[in-house]
Amino acid sequence: AARAFLVAASRLGKVVCVTLAQPGWIPSCLDAFMPNLSAAWRELDVEVHYSSVEKVDTRREIGGGSAACCLHRTPYDDAEQDAYRVNILANRKQRSMKRALRQFYGKRAAWKNVLSLGDGPFERQALQDLAFGHTAAAVRPGDDSATKMRAKTVKMLDSPDCAMLCEELHVLQAWLPAMTAIDGDFDFSLDSLEEGDLETPCAFLTPRQRAAAPRMLEAGI
C-alpha cells in the first residue's frame, strides 16, 4: 500500500519527505522493514529533509508572551508546555518546508500548490504558517500571484494498526487526484471521520468543492 501510494503521488507532483527523525533514519528504516518501498523510494529519488537539525528561535512568542516566560510562570501547566513543544517542532518543519519549496519553485517564483500529509500537528501548523507568511510577504499592489498558492493539509490517523494504515493509504491514494486538483485551500483530519466515512468519495471536500472537483479533474487543473 505504501509503495503504491508513493508511486501514485510521484505521478502527480514532486514528493518530499520532511521528518523530525534523526539524519539517516529513513533509509535505514526502509531498508530494514520495507525493502520494496525502499527500492521505489530510491528509484523515484525522494528527497528527505531532516527537521531535527534545523536551528530555531526558542524565544518565539506564544499567546502574547515569550515561550520561555510562559513556561517559567506556569511550570506545571501541561497545555502550555504542549503548545510550546508543538510550536518549536512546527518551526523546525517550517524551515525544512521553506527550503524544499524554494528548491522546487525557485526563490522568486510564486508557490502554487502544496499538499501536506502527516499524523502529527507539526506539519499542519508548519505549512499553514508558511503559506500565510509567504502570501503576506509577497503581495504587492496589482500583483495577485502570491494569492494563488493552495495550502492543503491532511491530518492522518493517530497510531493506526497495520490494517488501518493500509486502508488509510488506499483511501488517500484514491483521493490524491482531487486533492491536487482542488482550486483552493483545505484543512482536513481523518480523525474527524466516523465509521464508514472512509468509503465516501472525497470526504475531505466541502459540498461546494465536491461539486466542482469533477469539472476541475476534467479540465486538468
Side-chain angles (χ1 to χ4, degrees):
R3 185 184 187 282
F5 178 84
L6 177 62
V7 171
S10 297
R11 290 171 178 165
L12 293 170
K14 174 72 172 178
V15 177
V16 176
C17 174
V18 177
T19 177
L20 290 165
Q22 292 300 312
W25 184 86
I26 293 293
S28 298
C29 180
L30 293 178
D31 288 343
F33 301 106
M34 292 173 281
N36 290 336
L37 177 59
S38 179
W41 194 276
R42 288 187 170 87
E43 181 181 345
L44 296 170
D45 194 24
V46 178
E47 294 179 8
V48 180
H49 292 256
Y50 290 97
S51 302
S52 56
V53 300
E54 296 284 0
K55 304 297 183 183
V56 298
D57 185 1
T58 58
R59 299 169 298 175
R60 288 192 63 175
E61 294 185 351
I62 297 177
S66 71
C69 290
C70 288
L71 289 177
H72 181 71
R73 290 198 308 268
T74 57
Y76 303 106
D77 187 340
D78 291 340
E80 192 72 31
Q81 293 187 32
D82 286 345
Y84 174 70
R85 176 174 175 271
V86 169
N87 191 64
I88 293 300
L89 296 181
N91 288 341
R92 292 184 188 278
K93 284 209 165 186
Q94 182 177 333
R95 282 178 175 267
S96 295
M97 288 181 179
K98 186 175 183 179
R99 183 177 297 107
L101 287 168
R102 281 182 169 177
Q103 290 174 357
F104 181 73
Y105 285 111
K107 293 184 178 181
R108 298 182 181 275
W111 301 345
K112 298 294 186 181
N113 196 11
V114 186
L115 171 62
S116 169
L117 299 99
D119 60 0
F122 319 117
E123 50 274 353
R124 172 183 176 273
Q125 178 177 322
L127 181 58
Q128 291 177 344
D129 289 350
L130 191 61
F132 177 80
H134 173 73
T135 300
V139 167
R140 298 290 186 275
D143 177 14
D144 64 349
S145 61
T147 64
K148 295 180 181 178
M149 178 181 176
R150 292 89 166 170
K152 307 167 182 181
T153 56
V154 177
K155 166 66 172 62
M156 299 174 68
L157 299 176
D158 287 321
S159 303
D161 58 28
C162 186
M164 181 56 73
L165 178 58
C166 288
E167 181 181 1
E168 180 181 31
L169 289 174
H170 283 308
V171 170
L172 289 174
Q173 182 179 337
W175 289 354
L176 274 175
M179 287 194 291
T180 55
I182 197 71
D183 189 13
D185 303 334
F186 65 77
D187 175 32
F188 181 75
S189 174
L190 290 175
D191 292 318
S192 66
L193 294 180
E194 297 181 358
E195 186 175 356
D197 284 348
L198 282 178
E199 300 175 2
T200 302
C202 300
F204 65 93
L205 298 175
T206 65
R208 183 176 180 180
Q209 289 174 326
R210 194 175 297 122
R215 295 196 297 273
M216 287 187 293
L217 289 172
E218 291 174 2
I221 298 177

PDB file of all heavy atoms in Angstrom, residues 17-21 48-56 88-97 99:
ATOM      1  N   CYS A  17       9.937  14.293   1.620  1.00  0.00           N
ATOM      2  CA  CYS A  17       9.696  13.832   2.986  1.00  0.00           C
ATOM      3  C   CYS A  17      10.345  14.811   3.956  1.00  0.00           C
ATOM      4  O   CYS A  17      11.560  15.040   3.895  1.00  0.00           O
ATOM      5  CB  CYS A  17      10.275  12.430   3.183  1.00  0.00           C
ATOM      6  SG  CYS A  17      10.181  11.818   4.894  1.00  0.00           S
ATOM      7  N   VAL A  18       9.534  15.381   4.841  1.00  0.00           N
ATOM      8  CA  VAL A  18      10.034  16.273   5.895  1.00  0.00           C
ATOM      9  C   VAL A  18       9.790  15.570   7.224  1.00  0.00           C
ATOM     10  O   VAL A  18       8.646  15.334   7.601  1.00  0.00           O
ATOM     11  CB  VAL A  18       9.324  17.639   5.861  1.00  0.00           C
ATOM     12  CG1 VAL A  18       9.817  18.522   7.004  1.00  0.00           C
ATOM     13  CG2 VAL A  18       9.551  18.325   4.522  1.00  0.00           C
ATOM     14  N   THR A  19      10.857  15.243   7.926  1.00  0.00           N
ATOM     15  CA  THR A  19      10.730  14.420   9.120  1.00  0.00           C
ATOM     16  C   THR A  19      11.524  14.989  10.286  1.00  0.00           C
ATOM     17  O   THR A  19      12.556  15.661  10.096  1.00  0.00           O
ATOM     18  CB  THR A  19      11.203  12.982   8.843  1.00  0.00           C
ATOM     19  OG1 THR A  19      11.137  12.208  10.047  1.00  0.00           O
ATOM     20  CG2 THR A  19      12.639  12.959   8.336  1.00  0.00           C
ATOM     21  N   LEU A  20      11.034  14.702  11.492  1.00  0.00           N
ATOM     22  CA  LEU A  20      11.742  15.091  12.708  1.00  0.00           C
ATOM     23  C   LEU A  20      12.690  13.993  13.183  1.00  0.00           C
ATOM     24  O   LEU A  20      13.300  14.111  14.247  1.00  0.00           O
ATOM     25  CB  LEU A  20      10.736  15.425  13.817  1.00  0.00           C
ATOM     26  CG  LEU A  20       9.947  16.711  13.605  1.00  0.00           C
ATOM     27  CD1 LEU A  20       8.743  16.772  14.527  1.00  0.00           C
ATOM     28  CD2 LEU A  20      10.842  17.934  13.836  1.00  0.00           C
ATOM     29  N   ALA A  21      12.802  12.916  12.405  1.00  0.00           N
ATOM     30  CA  ALA A  21      13.726  11.838  12.749  1.00  0.00           C
ATOM     31  C   ALA A  21      15.174  12.322  12.612  1.00  0.00           C
ATOM     32  O   ALA A  21      15.458  13.352  11.991  1.00  0.00           O
ATOM     33  CB  ALA A  21      13.488  10.637  11.837  1.00  0.00           C
ATOM     34  N   VAL A  48      14.707  13.771   1.282  1.00  0.00           N
ATOM     35  CA  VAL A  48      14.392  13.741   2.703  1.00  0.00           C
ATOM     36  C   VAL A  48      15.024  14.959   3.372  1.00  0.00           C
ATOM     37  O   VAL A  48      16.235  15.189   3.239  1.00  0.00           O
ATOM     38  CB  VAL A  48      14.902  12.454   3.385  1.00  0.00           C
ATOM     39  CG1 VAL A  48      14.542  12.466   4.871  1.00  0.00           C
ATOM     40  CG2 VAL A  48      14.319  11.221   2.705  1.00  0.00           C
ATOM     41  N   HIS A  49      14.204  15.728   4.065  1.00  0.00           N
ATOM     42  CA  HIS A  49      14.684  16.883   4.824  1.00  0.00           C
ATOM     43  C   HIS A  49      14.513  16.574   6.308  1.00  0.00           C
ATOM     44  O   HIS A  49      13.393  16.343   6.775  1.00  0.00           O
ATOM     45  CB  HIS A  49      13.903  18.138   4.444  1.00  0.00           C
ATOM     46  CG  HIS A  49      14.162  18.611   3.044  1.00  0.00           C
ATOM     47  ND1 HIS A  49      14.958  19.707   2.755  1.00  0.00           N
ATOM     48  CD2 HIS A  49      13.738  18.129   1.845  1.00  0.00           C
ATOM     49  CE1 HIS A  49      15.006  19.878   1.449  1.00  0.00           C
ATOM     50  NE2 HIS A  49      14.271  18.943   0.868  1.00  0.00           N
ATOM     51  N   TYR A  50      15.615  16.566   7.023  1.00  0.00           N
ATOM     52  CA  TYR A  50      15.596  16.227   8.447  1.00  0.00           C
ATOM     53  C   TYR A  50      15.459  17.503   9.284  1.00  0.00           C
ATOM     54  O   TYR A  50      16.426  18.242   9.502  1.00  0.00           O
ATOM     55  CB  TYR A  50      16.863  15.463   8.822  1.00  0.00           C
ATOM     56  CG  TYR A  50      16.914  14.073   8.233  1.00  0.00           C
ATOM     57  CD1 TYR A  50      17.618  13.826   7.057  1.00  0.00           C
ATOM     58  CD2 TYR A  50      16.251  13.013   8.836  1.00  0.00           C
ATOM     59  CE1 TYR A  50      17.661  12.547   6.497  1.00  0.00           C
ATOM     60  CE2 TYR A  50      16.283  11.736   8.285  1.00  0.00           C
ATOM     61  CZ  TYR A  50      16.990  11.513   7.120  1.00  0.00           C
ATOM     62  OH  TYR A  50      17.023  10.254   6.578  1.00  0.00           O
ATOM     63  N   SER A  51      14.231  17.746   9.747  1.00  0.00           N
ATOM     64  CA  SER A  51      13.952  18.965  10.503  1.00  0.00           C
ATOM     65  C   SER A  51      14.583  18.948  11.888  1.00  0.00           C
ATOM     66  O   SER A  51      14.682  19.993  12.538  1.00  0.00           O
ATOM     67  CB  SER A  51      12.438  19.155  10.645  1.00  0.00           C
ATOM     68  OG  SER A  51      11.824  19.225   9.379  1.00  0.00           O
ATOM     69  N   SER A  52      14.984  17.780  12.353  1.00  0.00           N
ATOM     70  CA  SER A  52      15.570  17.677  13.693  1.00  0.00           C
ATOM     71  C   SER A  52      16.863  18.470  13.818  1.00  0.00           C
ATOM     72  O   SER A  52      17.273  18.830  14.934  1.00  0.00           O
ATOM     73  CB  SER A  52      15.838  16.210  14.044  1.00  0.00           C
ATOM     74  OG  SER A  52      16.675  15.608  13.067  1.00  0.00           O
ATOM     75  N   VAL A  53      17.511  18.767  12.694  1.00  0.00           N
ATOM     76  CA  VAL A  53      18.774  19.504  12.739  1.00  0.00           C
ATOM     77  C   VAL A  53      18.581  20.992  12.463  1.00  0.00           C
ATOM     78  O   VAL A  53      19.561  21.748  12.456  1.00  0.00           O
ATOM     79  CB  VAL A  53      19.785  18.911  11.740  1.00  0.00           C
ATOM     80  CG1 VAL A  53      20.072  17.458  12.072  1.00  0.00           C
ATOM     81  CG2 VAL A  53      19.283  19.038  10.298  1.00  0.00           C
ATOM     82  N   GLU A  54      17.340  21.407  12.233  1.00  0.00           N
ATOM     83  CA  GLU A  54      17.076  22.822  11.964  1.00  0.00           C
ATOM     84  C   GLU A  54      17.259  23.649  13.235  1.00  0.00           C
ATOM     85  O   GLU A  54      16.877  23.238  14.328  1.00  0.00           O
ATOM     86  CB  GLU A  54      15.655  23.018  11.432  1.00  0.00           C
ATOM     87  CG  GLU A  54      15.396  22.351  10.092  1.00  0.00           C
ATOM     88  CD  GLU A  54      16.005  23.110   8.923  1.00  0.00           C
ATOM     89  OE1 GLU A  54      16.643  24.160   9.148  1.00  0.00           O
ATOM     90  OE2 GLU A  54      15.842  22.633   7.782  1.00  0.00           O
ATOM     91  N   LYS A  55      17.831  24.820  13.082  1.00  0.00           N
ATOM     92  CA  LYS A  55      18.001  25.745  14.196  1.00  0.00           C
ATOM     93  C   LYS A  55      16.812  26.692  14.235  1.00  0.00           C
ATOM     94  O   LYS A  55      16.469  27.323  13.236  1.00  0.00           O
ATOM     95  CB  LYS A  55      19.288  26.557  14.035  1.00  0.00           C
ATOM     96  CG  LYS A  55      20.541  25.699  13.884  1.00  0.00           C
ATOM     97  CD  LYS A  55      20.790  24.859  15.118  1.00  0.00           C
ATOM     98  CE  LYS A  55      22.092  24.065  14.986  1.00  0.00           C
ATOM     99  NZ  LYS A  55      22.315  23.185  16.155  1.00  0.00           N
ATOM    100  N   VAL A  56      16.157  26.766  15.389  1.00  0.00           N
ATOM    101  CA  VAL A  56      15.001  27.653  15.535  1.00  0.00           C
ATOM    102  C   VAL A  56      15.171  28.508  16.777  1.00  0.00           C
ATOM    103  O   VAL A  56      15.933  28.173  17.688  1.00  0.00           O
ATOM    104  CB  VAL A  56      13.678  26.857  15.634  1.00  0.00           C
ATOM    105  CG1 VAL A  56      13.431  26.058  14.370  1.00  0.00           C
ATOM    106  CG2 VAL A  56      13.676  25.948  16.846  1.00  0.00           C
ATOM    107  N   ILE A  88       7.705  24.758  18.626  1.00  0.00           N
ATOM    108  CA  ILE A  88       9.113  24.577  18.291  1.00  0.00           C
ATOM    109  C   ILE A  88       9.278  23.548  17.168  1.00  0.00           C
ATOM    110  O   ILE A  88      10.009  23.776  16.193  1.00  0.00           O
ATOM    111  CB  ILE A  88       9.913  24.137  19.531  1.00  0.00           C
ATOM    112  CG1 ILE A  88       9.948  25.265  20.570  1.00  0.00           C
ATOM    113  CG2 ILE A  88      11.341  23.730  19.140  1.00  0.00           C
ATOM    114  CD1 ILE A  88      10.595  26.538  20.073  1.00  0.00           C
ATOM    115  N   LEU A  89       8.596  22.410  17.288  1.00  0.00           N
ATOM    116  CA  LEU A  89       8.740  21.367  16.273  1.00  0.00           C
ATOM    117  C   LEU A  89       8.132  21.806  14.943  1.00  0.00           C
ATOM    118  O   LEU A  89       8.659  21.465  13.871  1.00  0.00           O
ATOM    119  CB  LEU A  89       8.094  20.074  16.766  1.00  0.00           C
ATOM    120  CG  LEU A  89       8.757  19.454  18.014  1.00  0.00           C
ATOM    121  CD1 LEU A  89       8.062  18.158  18.410  1.00  0.00           C
ATOM    122  CD2 LEU A  89      10.241  19.211  17.774  1.00  0.00           C
ATOM    123  N   ALA A  90       7.022  22.552  14.997  1.00  0.00           N
ATOM    124  CA  ALA A  90       6.435  23.082  13.761  1.00  0.00           C
ATOM    125  C   ALA A  90       7.389  24.072  13.092  1.00  0.00           C
ATOM    126  O   ALA A  90       7.510  24.100  11.860  1.00  0.00           O
ATOM    127  CB  ALA A  90       5.096  23.748  14.064  1.00  0.00           C
ATOM    128  N   ASN A  91       8.079  24.873  13.896  1.00  0.00           N
ATOM    129  CA  ASN A  91       9.050  25.820  13.332  1.00  0.00           C
ATOM    130  C   ASN A  91      10.189  25.090  12.637  1.00  0.00           C
ATOM    131  O   ASN A  91      10.688  25.534  11.596  1.00  0.00           O
ATOM    132  CB  ASN A  91       9.606  26.724  14.428  1.00  0.00           C
ATOM    133  CG  ASN A  91       8.593  27.742  14.914  1.00  0.00           C
ATOM    134  OD1 ASN A  91       7.614  28.015  14.235  1.00  0.00           O
ATOM    135  ND2 ASN A  91       8.809  28.280  16.110  1.00  0.00           N
ATOM    136  N   ARG A  92      10.602  23.960  13.208  1.00  0.00           N
ATOM    137  CA  ARG A  92      11.659  23.178  12.576  1.00  0.00           C
ATOM    138  C   ARG A  92      11.185  22.656  11.207  1.00  0.00           C
ATOM    139  O   ARG A  92      11.905  22.739  10.208  1.00  0.00           O
ATOM    140  CB  ARG A  92      12.057  22.004  13.471  1.00  0.00           C
ATOM    141  CG  ARG A  92      12.764  22.404  14.757  1.00  0.00           C
ATOM    142  CD  ARG A  92      13.206  21.178  15.539  1.00  0.00           C
ATOM    143  NE  ARG A  92      13.714  21.512  16.851  1.00  0.00           N
ATOM    144  CZ  ARG A  92      14.952  21.925  17.116  1.00  0.00           C
ATOM    145  NH1 ARG A  92      15.814  22.035  16.118  1.00  0.00           N
ATOM    146  NH2 ARG A  92      15.331  22.195  18.353  1.00  0.00           N
ATOM    147  N   LYS A  93       9.969  22.122  11.192  1.00  0.00           N
ATOM    148  CA  LYS A  93       9.435  21.612   9.922  1.00  0.00           C
ATOM    149  C   LYS A  93       9.201  22.750   8.934  1.00  0.00           C
ATOM    150  O   LYS A  93       9.361  22.582   7.719  1.00  0.00           O
ATOM    151  CB  LYS A  93       8.149  20.831  10.170  1.00  0.00           C
ATOM    152  CG  LYS A  93       8.375  19.449  10.760  1.00  0.00           C
ATOM    153  CD  LYS A  93       7.291  18.474  10.368  1.00  0.00           C
ATOM    154  CE  LYS A  93       7.708  17.041  10.640  1.00  0.00           C
ATOM    155  NZ  LYS A  93       6.732  16.052  10.151  1.00  0.00           N
ATOM    156  N   GLN A  94       8.806  23.891   9.425  1.00  0.00           N
ATOM    157  CA  GLN A  94       8.558  25.028   8.549  1.00  0.00           C
ATOM    158  C   GLN A  94       9.835  25.438   7.819  1.00  0.00           C
ATOM    159  O   GLN A  94       9.811  25.737   6.617  1.00  0.00           O
ATOM    160  CB  GLN A  94       8.024  26.211   9.358  1.00  0.00           C
ATOM    161  CG  GLN A  94       7.681  27.432   8.514  1.00  0.00           C
ATOM    162  CD  GLN A  94       7.090  28.547   9.348  1.00  0.00           C
ATOM    163  OE1 GLN A  94       6.482  28.312  10.387  1.00  0.00           O
ATOM    164  NE2 GLN A  94       7.273  29.774   8.914  1.00  0.00           N
ATOM    165  N   ARG A  95      10.948  25.424   8.510  1.00  0.00           N
ATOM    166  CA  ARG A  95      12.222  25.766   7.881  1.00  0.00           C
ATOM    167  C   ARG A  95      12.571  24.772   6.771  1.00  0.00           C
ATOM    168  O   ARG A  95      13.027  25.153   5.696  1.00  0.00           O
ATOM    169  CB  ARG A  95      13.330  25.807   8.929  1.00  0.00           C
ATOM    170  CG  ARG A  95      13.348  27.072   9.776  1.00  0.00           C
ATOM    171  CD  ARG A  95      14.453  27.020  10.824  1.00  0.00           C
ATOM    172  NE  ARG A  95      14.549  28.271  11.545  1.00  0.00           N
ATOM    173  CZ  ARG A  95      15.362  29.281  11.217  1.00  0.00           C
ATOM    174  NH1 ARG A  95      16.126  29.168  10.144  1.00  0.00           N
ATOM    175  NH2 ARG A  95      15.401  30.387  11.937  1.00  0.00           N
ATOM    176  N   SER A  96      12.344  23.491   7.058  1.00  0.00           N
ATOM    177  CA  SER A  96      12.638  22.469   6.053  1.00  0.00           C
ATOM    178  C   SER A  96      11.709  22.596   4.850  1.00  0.00           C
ATOM    179  O   SER A  96      12.136  22.459   3.694  1.00  0.00           O
ATOM    180  CB  SER A  96      12.503  21.071   6.669  1.00  0.00           C
ATOM    181  OG  SER A  96      13.475  20.859   7.665  1.00  0.00           O
ATOM    182  N   MET A  97      10.432  22.844   5.108  1.00  0.00           N
ATOM    183  CA  MET A  97       9.467  23.018   4.020  1.00  0.00           C
ATOM    184  C   MET A  97       9.829  24.217   3.158  1.00  0.00           C
ATOM    185  O   MET A  97       9.759  24.163   1.919  1.00  0.00           O
ATOM    186  CB  MET A  97       8.059  23.198   4.583  1.00  0.00           C
ATOM    187  CG  MET A  97       7.438  21.949   5.155  1.00  0.00           C
ATOM    188  SD  MET A  97       5.754  22.295   5.757  1.00  0.00           S
ATOM    189  CE  MET A  97       5.268  20.663   6.327  1.00  0.00           C
ATOM    190  N   ARG A  99      12.740  25.505   2.635  1.00  0.00           N
ATOM    191  CA  ARG A  99      13.904  25.183   1.823  1.00  0.00           C
ATOM    192  C   ARG A  99      13.503  24.302   0.629  1.00  0.00           C
ATOM    193  O   ARG A  99      13.952  24.519  -0.505  1.00  0.00           O
ATOM    194  CB  ARG A  99      14.958  24.468   2.674  1.00  0.00           C
ATOM    195  CG  ARG A  99      16.238  24.155   1.911  1.00  0.00           C
ATOM    196  CD  ARG A  99      17.282  23.512   2.803  1.00  0.00           C
ATOM    197  NE  ARG A  99      17.690  24.413   3.867  1.00  0.00           N
ATOM    198  CZ  ARG A  99      17.341  24.274   5.145  1.00  0.00           C
ATOM    199  NH1 ARG A  99      16.562  23.270   5.520  1.00  0.00           N
ATOM    200  NH2 ARG A  99      17.745  25.139   6.041  1.00  0.00           N
TER     201      ARG A  99
END
